[in-house]
Amino acid sequence: MGSLPGEFSGPSFGDWQADATWTSQATSVGERADQVQWLGDRVRVVVAERLRGLAVPGMRVIDRELTYDADGEPVDGLQGSIVTYVQRFTVTVTPAA
């Protein structure tokens, strides 16, 4: 097995301190599953669009990922049931060459 051709810039792959990763969470809350699923869909579209154009000074965005997508989880509350929809978005950057 041989290596694939490619050109790489920036720090070496073994330099873990050079890259940075952060995760943001959006939690939609509603009374019904269809409400939070609709909100989750809207959140996904809006966040994906904003991450697509994300510029970090001195860094290059190398990964954008929806790392957690809970499809509406019921939560029993004292005043009635509510439903939450949790989504986590992760962005990874590396120093610009």
Side-chain angles (χ1 to χ4, degrees):
M1 182 182 311
S3 63
L4 295 173
E7 294 182 23
F8 302 97
S9 63
S12 69
F13 289 126
D15 188 356
W16 293 105
Q17 297 177 356
D19 297 341
T21 300
W22 69 88
T23 301
S24 297
Q25 177 173 306
T27 304
S28 302
V29 179
E31 294 179 351
R32 299 185 324 262
D34 63 317
Q35 289 174 327
V36 295
Q37 288 170 350
W38 180 85
L39 285 170
D41 290 343
R42 296 295 306 146
V43 166
R44 193 177 309 105
V45 169
V46 169
V47 171
E49 184 62 33
R50 289 189 181 180
L51 290 180
R52 193 171 293 121
L54 181 67
V56 180
M59 305 295 275
R60 184 169 53 98
V61 177
I62 58 174
D63 189 36
R64 300 169 193 87
E65 181 181 8
L66 176 60
T67 53
Y68 183 76
D69 192 7
D71 189 31
E73 299 173 350
V75 177
D76 291 327
L78 296 176
Q79 301 299 320
S81 294
I82 60 171
V83 180
T84 62
Y85 193 132
V86 177
Q87 296 166 296
R88 293 187 190 118
F89 302 88
T90 299
V91 175
T92 303
V93 296
T94 193

